[in-house]
């Protein structure tokens, strides 16, 4: 049938029956998501679950951190030895020993650092790989609803960006906390053992910088979030305008000047924010640096006084003062530890939110692995409503919560015997595509049963079910890979001979052989583009290679030239041979050859039978038939 379409079987549609929304916007928005997810109680434990498998490495990392903190207290002691012993006692050997000790210590610290960096990188990357794999497997298990309702960019953003953030969080926050804590502890012990009074004196100034640091940390974080949001706006703006569609609009409406001005404004906003961020707390920090000088000053004053009175050594005073940096810096860093930990957990929380989405179609624990099926398909009282989107912006939820969606299939019952050819016919939106989704269990029915060879589909594993079913849809999706690799996707073990045989039967071999690199030619969106008819034949060859018992075919509505149409028809004839087939029919020949025609309307089966019977019945089928094919029949021999 030339150029079917029209009211007969519905328009072309993308998989899932809904237009896809590609939301790159969202991806950028997420970069600046100021909303911190609520941290659930189980989250820290789950994070632990991802870190724990690497406990040996963690142990070594923390030993390294501990060793660095511990060794960090030694240099001031060496200085003290030089000042208090080597010089006063005129002991050049001790002097040399202490100086060499300083150098040796630095070498050791350097080596520890190298080991720790390696382990950090290793563990951090391994944890990310684990998370990515879990996410990938998880989203694979999600039903089609997930993919029709989730913006493409978002899934990838989660797997890529959110997991990417884990590295910084785990390696930065966690290790910094431990390192700071141990450094403070080691330093305090060292100072107290040198001189408890000086230690207490040094501690007096701690609150005076600890609290303001916390404050500034908060301001900075707020500014940084705001900056990210504005940056995301700029990115989204560019994304929208600097592409072919946006540019056509811009040029078409002569808006180039206005757009450039808006871009300039937005960029300036970001720049201003970044300056503010850089300056936030600068004044405060300046005053703080004055305060932190108070620490050493107090130590020199009291220590000097003690030196005069009780003979406290100069080396001790110098050592204590050098310890102060080791003390104040980590304490300052720990001022915002709570916020840091919350931020770190939030990164995980966003990933866990995704991992917690329940796949709707699940294998039962005791699901049976289906052997070679006979191909008897029975629908019994099947009612199915497309589920609501999993994720909706909250504002949509408020408005759209009340309206219950219409069922796509209502109380549908029919029976297909093994080897039968069944044509699905009906107006657009009747539910034909939905039927073809339920057979491979891309969704489960709300009520009723779908059975294959007398077995409820929910009793068998999805994988063993889908091995039995081949799908040839209107739009053929090809991966960006060679023709051969695309074909092997149907059956990994296929030999070259089998591939060629399938392609011959699919009427596409000669075409492929004529391509620049034959079966190794890379096809797909960004490579060699195949015409509609060529893609269809390749899809048919792919299905032939899979050799399923059951075939689901959505006949193309698009116009093919006569040669192409002829080749596709030939290929289809071979493909349908000896299989149970469910066909969303657009060609008259298909309908005439069908063993059974199911006429659907509004999700119901309204008529059922063979062409002649249905025509005689003078119902919906007859109406559709007359509208679509009258006048054509004479010109085209049926079948
Ligand atoms: P046909 O293939 O006969 O044109 P479909 O099976 O695609 O009809 O659609 C049946 C009904 O289900 C239609 O009302 C359609 O709008 C609705 N529908 C189809 N796909 C989806 C989806 N992914 N989510 C929600 N509703 C859908």
């Amino acid at each position: 049938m030339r150029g079917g379409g029209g009211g007969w079987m519905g328009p072309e549609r993308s998989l899932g029956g809904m237009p896809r929304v590609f939301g790159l916007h969202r991806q950028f928005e997420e970069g600046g998501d100021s909303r911190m997810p609520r941290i659930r109680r189980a989250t820290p434990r789950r994070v632990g679950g991802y870190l724990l498998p690497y406990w040996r490495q963690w142990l070594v990392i923390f030993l390294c951190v501990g060793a660095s903190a511990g060794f960090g207290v030694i240099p001031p002691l060496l200085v003290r030895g030089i000042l208090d012993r080597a010089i006063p006692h005129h002991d050049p050997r001790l002097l040399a020993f202490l100086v060499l000790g300083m150098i040796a210590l630095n070498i050791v610290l350097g080596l520890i650092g190298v080991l720790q960096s390696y382990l950090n990188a290793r563990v951090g990357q391994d944890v990310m790989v684990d998370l990515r794999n879990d996410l990938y497997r998880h989203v694979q298990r999600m039903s089609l609803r997930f993919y029709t309702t989730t913006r493409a960019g978002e899934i990838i953003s989660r797997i890529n960006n959110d997991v990417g953030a884990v590295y910084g969080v785990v390696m930065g926050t966690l290790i910094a906390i431990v390192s700071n804590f141990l450094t403070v502890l080691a330093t305090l012990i060292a100072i107290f053992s040198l001189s408890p009074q000086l230690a207490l004196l040094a501690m007096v100034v701690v609150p005076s910088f600890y609290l303001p640091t916390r404050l500034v940390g908060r301001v900075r974080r707020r500014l940084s979030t705001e900056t990210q949001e504005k940056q995301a706006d700029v990115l989204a703006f560019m994304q929208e305008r600097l592409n072919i569609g946006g540019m056509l609009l811009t040029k078409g409406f002569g808006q180039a000047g206005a757009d450039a001005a808006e871009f300039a404004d937005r960029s300036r906003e970001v720049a201003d924010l970044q300056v503010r961020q850089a300056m936030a707390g600068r004044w405060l920090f300046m005053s703080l640096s004055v305060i932190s000088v108070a620490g050493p000053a107090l130590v020199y004053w009291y220590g000097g006084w003690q030196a005069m009175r009780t003979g406290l050594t100069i080396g001790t005073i110098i050592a204590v003062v050098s310890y102060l940096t080791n003390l104040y810096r980590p304490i300052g860093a720990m001022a915002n530890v709570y916020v840091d930990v919350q931020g770190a957990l939030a990164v995980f929380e966003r990933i866990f939110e995704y991992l917690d989405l329940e796949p709707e179609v699940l294998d039962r624990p005791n699901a049976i692995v289906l052997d070679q099926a006979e191909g008897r398909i029975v629908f019994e009282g099947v009612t199915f409503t497309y589920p609501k989107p999993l994720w909706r912006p909250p504002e949509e939820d408020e408005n759209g919560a009340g309206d219950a969606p219409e069922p796509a299939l209502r109380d549908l019952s029919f029976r297909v015997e093994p080897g039968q050819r069944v044509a699905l016919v009906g107006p657009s939106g009747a539910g034909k595509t939905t039927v073809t989704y339920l057979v491979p269990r891309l969704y489960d029915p709300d009520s009723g049963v779908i059975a294959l060879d007398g077995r409820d589909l929910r009793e068998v594993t999805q994988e063993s079910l889908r091995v039995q079913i081949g799908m040839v849809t209107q739009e053929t999706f090809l991966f960006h890979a060679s023709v051969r690799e695309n074909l092997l996707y149907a059956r990994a073990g296929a030999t070259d001979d089998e591939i060629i045989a399938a392609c011959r039967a699919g009427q596409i071999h000669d075409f492929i052989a004529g391509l620049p690199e034959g079966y190794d030619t890379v096809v797909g969106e960004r490579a060699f583009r195949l015409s509609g008819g060529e893609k269809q034949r390749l899809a048919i060859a792919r299905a032939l290679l899979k050799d399923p018992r059951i075939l689901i075919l959505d006949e193309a509505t698009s116009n093919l030239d006569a040669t192409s149409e002829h080749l596709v028809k030939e290929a289809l004839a071979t493909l349908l041979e000896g299989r149970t087939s469910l066909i969303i029919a657009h060609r008259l020949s298909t309908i005439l050859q069908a063993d059974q025609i199911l006429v659907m309307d509004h999700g119901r089966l309204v008529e059922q039978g063979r062409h002649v019977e249905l025509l005689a019945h003078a119902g919906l089928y007859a109406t559709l038939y007359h509208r679509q094919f009258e006048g054509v029949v004479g010109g085209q021999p049926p079948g």
Side-chain angles (χ1 to χ4, degrees):
M1 183 58 234
R2 277 169 253 120
W8 187 236
M9 320 285 153
E12 280 198 29
R13 51 174 75 231
S14 58
L15 193 69
M18 267 175 50
R20 295 223 188 159
V21 188
F22 289 91
L24 280 163
H25 265 82
R26 168 89 184 174
Q27 191 179 342
F28 292 119
E29 277 161 28
E30 287 195 338
D33 194 352
S34 54
R35 170 193 69 102
M36 268 219 189
R38 198 175 56 83
I39 311 292
R40 288 169 296 180
R41 284 183 59 188
T43 301
R45 200 163 29 95
R46 289 175 78 179
V47 174
Y50 277 95
L51 305 186
L52 211 61
Y54 303 98
W55 66 270
R56 286 189 191 81
Q57 286 92 324
W58 283 114
L59 196 67
V60 181
I61 289 177
F62 289 134
L63 280 176
C64 289
V65 171
S68 299
F71 288 143
V73 303
I74 297 179
L77 295 181
L78 297 178
V79 173
R80 177 169 173 258
I82 292 171
L83 294 181
D84 288 355
R85 295 212 182 165
I87 298 176
H89 297 146
H90 302 277
D91 187 344
R93 283 187 61 190
L94 182 61
L95 183 65
F97 176 76
L98 291 173
V99 170
L100 283 177
M102 279 181 189
I103 296 168
L105 191 69
N106 258 320
I107 293 174
V108 172
L109 280 172
L111 290 176
I112 292 176
V114 172
L115 175 65
Q116 198 199 322
S117 307
Y118 169 72
L119 286 173
N120 282 2
R122 192 70 262 167
V123 175
Q125 295 294 344
D126 286 350
V127 169
M128 290 207 298
V129 167
D130 293 346
L131 271 168
R132 284 214 171 101
N133 288 342
D134 283 358
L135 265 176
Y136 191 91
R137 289 209 186 92
H138 187 74
V139 295
Q140 262 190 333
R141 288 167 66 216
M142 298 304 289
S143 78
L144 280 194
R145 160 155 80 125
F146 177 73
Y147 291 94
T148 53
T149 58
T150 312
R151 290 176 249 219
E154 173 163 337
I155 301 173
I156 295 163
S157 165
R158 293 271 162 148
I159 298 182
N160 204 52
N161 306 356
D162 286 2
V163 176
V166 162
Y167 187 82
V169 156
V170 170
M171 293 306 141
T173 312
L174 184 60
I175 293 180
I177 290 172
V178 175
S179 165
N180 287 333
F181 177 76
L182 291 179
T183 306
V184 170
L185 193 70
T187 310
L188 278 179
I189 292 174
I191 307 185
F192 267 96
S193 58
L194 284 180
S195 159
Q197 293 106 319
L198 287 184
L200 287 174
L201 214 53
M203 296 295 288
V204 166
V205 295
V206 166
S208 65
F209 64 81
Y210 179 80
L211 294 174
T213 309
R214 274 191 79 138
L215 205 80
V216 172
R218 252 181 234 156
V219 174
R220 283 207 162 167
R221 197 165 280 271
R222 191 172 52 70
L223 281 174
S224 134
T225 311
E226 212 174 310
T227 314
Q228 276 175 11
E229 276 166 14
K230 295 279 180 204
Q231 265 171 340
D233 280 351
V234 175
L235 273 175
F237 181 85
M238 287 195 285
Q239 178 77 21
E240 214 173 64
R241 312 288 152 123
L242 299 184
N243 65 58
I244 184 72
M247 201 38 82
L248 272 175
L249 203 63
T250 305
K251 288 192 191 289
F253 285 93
Q255 289 293 337
D259 276 3
E262 189 173 345
F263 181 72
D265 280 351
R266 291 180 183 221
S267 304
R268 166 115 337 253
E269 271 178 18
V270 173
D272 290 348
L273 270 169
Q274 260 162 350
V275 171
R276 273 178 65 196
Q277 200 184 335
M279 291 311 292
R282 270 285 146 237
W283 290 109
L284 188 66
F285 280 126
M286 201 206 74
S287 14
L288 286 186
S289 71
V290 175
I291 296 175
S292 66
V293 170
L298 280 174
V299 170
Y300 280 127
W301 171 71
Y302 185 77
W305 191 54
Q306 287 284 308
M308 293 175 216
R309 285 187 48 212
T310 65
L312 183 75
T313 64
I314 295 175
T316 304
I317 297 172
I318 299 284
V320 170
V321 170
S322 359
Y323 280 134
L324 293 187
T325 337
N326 274 3
L327 194 61
Y328 295 161
R329 193 185 33 77
I331 289 181
M334 287 202 296
N336 288 306
V337 73
Y338 178 75
V339 186
D340 290 343
V341 170
Q342 288 293 308
L345 288 176
V347 167
F348 278 97
E349 190 63 55
R350 289 161 61 80
I351 296 169
F352 291 156
E353 269 179 8
Y354 233 54
L355 278 175
D356 289 344
L357 295 174
E358 285 270 342
E360 292 149 291
V361 180
L362 279 173
D363 281 350
R364 286 201 185 152
N366 51 353
I368 298 162
V369 176
L370 209 62
D371 294 334
Q372 177 70 21
E374 274 186 74
R376 180 179 302 103
I377 302 167
V378 177
F379 272 56
E380 232 176 68
V382 170
T383 297
F384 171 73
T385 312
Y386 278 100
K388 280 193 183 177
L390 284 173
W391 282 42
R392 273 199 204 192
E395 66 271 20
E396 243 179 74
D397 239 3
E398 281 162 25
N399 307 329
D403 50 344
E406 290 278 296
L409 299 180
R410 299 163 202 255
D411 195 20
L412 187 67
S413 301
F414 63 85
R415 186 183 178 87
V416 182
E417 294 303 332
Q420 258 195 353
R421 192 173 297 188
V422 174
L424 290 165
V425 163
S428 174
K432 305 178 296 289
T433 313
T434 308
V435 169
T436 67
Y437 286 166
L438 294 195
V439 175
R441 220 186 146 204
L442 301 180
Y443 298 98
D444 278 334
D446 308 337
S447 60
V449 174
I450 304 170
L452 173 61
D453 298 344
R455 187 165 268 151
D456 190 330
L457 295 186
R458 284 169 290 207
E459 285 170 11
V460 301
T461 65
Q462 295 172 64
E463 204 155 325
S464 71
L465 170 67
R466 288 176 195 151
V467 170
Q468 315 285 340
I469 302 171
M471 288 185 100
V472 177
T473 47
Q474 289 198 15
E475 276 175 59
T476 301
F477 187 81
L478 297 173
F479 289 117
H480 181 90
S482 69
V483 173
R484 179 181 286 105
E485 285 164 314
N486 268 291
L487 287 164
L488 283 174
Y489 204 68
R491 182 148 64 86
T495 63
D496 273 2
D497 287 344
E498 286 170 322
I499 290 178
I500 290 174
C503 288
R504 276 194 203 284
Q507 306 290 335
I508 188 77
H509 170 73
D510 291 342
F511 170 78
I512 298 172
L515 287 176
E517 287 163 71
Y519 280 85
D520 293 318
T521 310
V522 173
V523 290
E525 284 286 302
R526 285 166 296 114
F528 194 92
R529 294 263 199 153
L530 302 176
S531 76
E534 288 150 8
K535 267 195 188 175
Q536 275 172 30
R537 276 139 58 206
L538 197 58
I540 292 168
R542 190 164 61 180
L544 277 165
L545 201 60
K546 185 176 181 186
D547 192 19
R549 265 312 288 153
I550 298 163
L551 193 85
I552 289 169
L553 171 64
D554 190 352
E555 279 188 341
T557 47
S558 47
N559 284 307
L560 296 180
D561 60 67
T563 327
S564 218
E565 176 73 34
H566 176 71
L567 289 173
V568 168
K569 232 167 154 177
E570 296 253 299
L572 278 177
T574 322
L575 179 62
L576 295 174
E577 193 71 38
R579 299 177 213 279
T580 307
S581 53
L582 270 177
I583 309 171
I584 301 180
H586 296 290
R587 288 188 179 82
L588 183 58
S589 53
T590 313
I591 297 165
L592 295 180
Q593 283 178 354
D595 299 308
Q596 197 185 162
I597 301 169
L598 302 176
V599 186
M600 297 186 63
D601 193 21
H602 291 107
R604 289 183 198 282
L605 183 64
V606 290
E607 289 166 32
Q608 182 176 13
R610 299 199 55 146
H611 172 70
V612 185
E613 300 158 20
L614 289 177
L615 213 53
H617 187 255
L620 178 63
Y621 178 82
T623 314
L624 292 170
Y625 173 79
H626 289 308
R627 192 188 300 159
Q628 183 79 20
F629 294 115
E630 207 138 55
V632 183
V633 180
Q636 181 162 332

